[in-house]
Amino acid sequence: FFSGPKMNTFISDLRPKLSKSSRILTPSDPDFSAANERWTDIDRKTPAVIVQPTCEDDIAVLVGQPRTIAFATYYARVKAAHVGKVAFVPASGGHSPWSTIENGMVIDVSQFKDVHVDANRQLVTVRGGVLMKELQIALSEENQFTAVANGNTVGAIPYMIGGGISSYTPLIGYACENILSARIVVATGDIVVASETENSDLIWAIRGAGQFFGLVTELVVRTHSPSLMGPDGVRQLGTIFFPTERASEVCSVLRDVVSRNDHASAGHFMVMNDPSKGRILMVAAQYFGTGPELQATYQPVIDLEPLNHNHQPSTFEKHSDHLAWMCPKGEFKRFSQTGLKCINPENFGRLVDLHRELSETLPGTERSVFTIEWHTKTPDDGPRKTETSFGLKKIDTWLNILTWYTDPALHEQVLQFDKRAQEIMRSDTEENAFVSYTNTSRSDPIGHRYKDAAAVAKLKELKQIWDPEGCFTKELL
């Protein structure tokens, strides 16, 4: 185990190799606890050391540590002591379940970050621990946009290399389809450039599975003109509220609207507990066009006589501001995403009943939200032509389960509700067609996360080249 004298020796050897502005934090440091805070406290571990590099060379030093430190690993259900590198995980925004480690090292890239926008060439260079809101601000200042997540505090690079589901997918595809090149620190500690002209197989892998091949320090990403969103360069946000007993009825009409090919939109149909309205259904539509066009497109839903409905324009810079209430660190939150073959009104009705059961039987879970997320079809041209390892490009409908609670004694019970939600929404799907999103699951079979068997075989071959010992997880070995 990495502790005591071995840790002290490691830190003493490491410190002179890093830039002077980098930080090495141990549990005795006053800033350690704050640095170890995460979006969720579920499975939050206590590392032996948190290192905050401030440049790419620092990261190369940390990844390529000399093989002199003894530590313990647990793999394939066999305990064995190994002599090798100190076990580590990278961390950016602190949302990933895999960015925490017990008694090892966290490489926290939050102090190494930069965004450079080249609007003339429609490119953005994203470095280190840039968060989603920081990327949105930088792009907005240059009148550009790209695919982003629905969370201001999510790390931009981990989001993109894991696939990158986005509200803008109907316009420009997934985030990974917009990656043009990357810089990545591989298991040897070397800094490797990957693009279509240099290490082209590696850039293919990074677009959808980059987390398994190294620590990506930089991405060059394609950007787009906001005029794609509509004549004013803004999207329209519509909200339509219904009582929960109308779940299947509303879902049926909504399914017909979003399955049409005459418009571009994305959105969420969710069941939630509103502080003022109680349990409520909300259709949250994001429409790319004008306000009157949104109104006309969703008129069949509005004709159902909702409790309330409205719409307003929203700029790219403020993309996720309305979800800021979901971003604070701490407490117990779990987020899972499951691909669906279609919107099934009957299944959604059962999901709403399950949400009520969760709220009524497990006090403290009232902030949990169950959602169907949809995207209209992405055009086959443009970014969609980019070759990626991401195996879920054809999935346009997702089940999003956010469970949120405060009592750690409820861990297992709440997890069972998450599993039951997936079972309900997959009840119309054969198991060999199950889909789990790469960025929220590593425990489901790899065939659920990467649907192309040939792509999986290629990823395994590349893993043997770039990370044969599993420095960056044992996935694909």
Side-chain angles (χ1 to χ4, degrees):
F1 288 91
F2 183 47
S3 60
K6 291 176 181 176
M7 180 179 71
N8 294 334
T9 300
F10 173 77
I11 292 174
S12 296
D13 290 344
L14 180 64
R15 195 177 300 277
K17 299 174 184 177
L18 300 177
S19 60
K20 292 182 179 180
S21 55
S22 65
R23 303 180 73 198
I24 301 175
L25 304 174
T26 64
S28 62
D29 288 301
D31 294 336
F32 180 88
S33 294
N36 197 39
E37 290 180 349
R38 301 171 43 72
W39 177 70
T40 177
D41 286 336
I42 295 176
D43 294 329
R44 180 165 68 95
K45 301 174 176 64
T46 303
V49 60
I50 299 173
V51 183
Q52 296 178 328
T54 55
C55 67
E56 187 179 61
D57 287 342
D58 286 345
I59 296 173
V61 168
L62 294 168
V63 172
Q65 316 149 33
R67 297 175 176 274
T68 56
I69 306 297
F71 66 97
T73 64
Y74 187 80
Y75 177 59
R77 300 185 179 180
V78 178
K79 284 186 177 180
H82 294 273
V83 174
K85 299 179 180 180
V86 174
F88 67 86
V89 293
S92 182
H95 285 251
S96 168
W98 308 285
S99 60
T100 184
I101 190 170
E102 188 69 31
N103 210 23
M105 175 172 63
V106 172
I107 302 176
D108 173 7
V109 297
S110 62
Q111 303 306 304
F112 164 56
K113 56 184 174 182
D114 181 59
V115 181
H116 175 72
V117 182
D118 186 338
N120 291 330
R121 299 172 62 201
Q122 292 198 295
L123 304 174
V124 60
T125 301
V126 185
R127 297 187 180 94
V130 171
L131 302 182
M132 210 57 62
K133 182 65 174 182
E134 295 166 336
L135 176 59
Q136 291 163 207
I137 292 173
L139 286 171
S140 295
E141 289 174 348
E142 299 295 332
N143 197 35
Q144 294 289 293
F145 83 100
T146 194
V148 294
N150 290 321
N152 285 340
T153 57
V154 172
I157 287 179
Y159 156 80
M160 290 178 176
I161 64 177
I165 299 173
S166 176
S167 299
Y168 303 100
T169 294
L171 300 178
I172 59 173
Y174 286 108
C176 65
E177 296 177 278
N178 290 273
I179 295 173
L180 299 175
S181 67
R183 292 174 65 88
I184 180 171
V185 179
V186 295
T188 59
D190 295 313
I191 300 169
V192 176
V193 175
S195 68
E196 291 293 340
T197 58
E198 189 173 2
N199 297 306
S200 57
D201 281 349
L202 183 57
I203 193 64
W204 172 85
I206 287 171
R207 294 173 180 144
Q211 63 272 33
F212 304 135
F213 290 89
L215 201 162
V216 177
T217 58
E218 176 183 298
L219 292 177
V220 177
V221 178
R222 184 185 293 110
T223 66
H224 307 269
S225 168
S227 61
L228 284 177
M229 300 184 206
D232 298 321
V234 296
R235 61 187 177 134
Q236 304 294 324
L237 299 184
T239 53
I240 312 173
F241 296 93
F242 292 93
T244 55
E245 58 267 22
R246 301 186 66 187
S248 296
E249 173 194 9
V250 176
C251 190
S252 179
V253 174
L254 179 65
R255 175 193 58 190
D256 295 341
V257 169
V258 303
S259 63
R260 296 186 345 227
N261 295 321
D262 59 353
H263 70 285
S265 75
H268 299 80
F269 186 27
M270 63 186 72
V271 56
M272 59 188 293
N273 289 294
D274 184 273
S276 60
K277 300 181 179 69
R279 286 186 74 251
I280 197 79
L281 299 176
M282 180 172 71
V283 177
Q286 303 182 45
Y287 187 87
F288 302 107
T290 66
E293 288 170 342
L294 178 149
Q295 183 88 8
T297 299
Y298 286 89
Q299 193 61 49
V301 181
I302 297 170
D303 287 343
L304 295 175
E305 298 182 353
L307 298 173
N308 184 31
H309 70 91
N310 61 73
H311 68 268
Q312 60 185 0
S314 176
T315 63
F316 177 72
E317 179 181 342
K318 297 181 178 180
H319 170 77
S320 295
D321 286 1
H322 61 291
L323 298 174
W325 64 276
M326 294 184 179
C327 291
K329 295 182 178 181
E331 299 189 333
F332 304 107
K333 302 187 283 289
R334 179 182 286 107
F335 184 66
S336 65
Q337 290 183 282
T338 303
L340 304 176
K341 70 176 186 179
C342 64
I343 297 176
N344 186 314
E346 180 181 352
N347 288 352
F348 185 73
R350 294 169 58 201
L351 185 73
V352 170
D353 291 340
L354 182 70
H355 183 271
R356 182 186 66 249
E357 181 183 344
L358 171 66
S359 299
E360 292 178 350
T361 59
L362 299 181
T365 62
E366 292 80 11
R367 286 173 289 179
S368 300
V369 182
F370 294 0
T371 303
I372 292 178
E373 177 178 354
W374 78 85
H375 311 110
T376 55
K377 295 293 182 182
T378 305
D380 291 330
D381 57 356
R384 181 67 15 132
K385 291 183 177 180
T386 304
E387 293 189 3
T388 75
S389 60
F390 184 56
L392 310 176
K393 294 202 296 186
K394 295 181 180 180
I395 307 301
D396 295 315
T397 309
W398 297 87
L399 167 67
N400 299 343
I401 299 296
L402 170 65
T403 50
W404 190 341
Y405 53 102
T406 55
D407 184 356
L410 297 181
H411 282 337
E412 186 57 35
Q413 290 170 275
V414 174
L415 179 59
Q416 292 307 311
F417 273 91
D418 190 318
K419 292 179 178 179
R420 288 172 61 191
Q422 294 182 50
E423 290 172 358
I424 287 171
M425 299 304 287
R426 283 173 163 170
S427 62
D428 57 358
T429 306
E430 297 293 330
E431 186 172 351
N432 62 5
F434 283 1
V435 171
S436 301
Y437 181 42
T438 324
N439 264 348
T440 60
S441 173
R442 292 184 188 173
S443 58
D444 287 353
I446 195 166
H448 294 179
R449 293 172 279 139
Y450 295 89
K451 303 306 292 184
D452 185 341
V456 172
K458 182 177 178 179
L459 286 170
K460 289 181 176 180
E461 291 176 1
L462 291 170
K463 182 73 168 180
Q464 290 294 334
I465 295 172
W466 295 103
D467 187 22
E469 296 181 9
C471 180
F472 298 94
T473 83
K474 304 296 182 181
E475 192 74 61
L476 300 171
L477 291 177

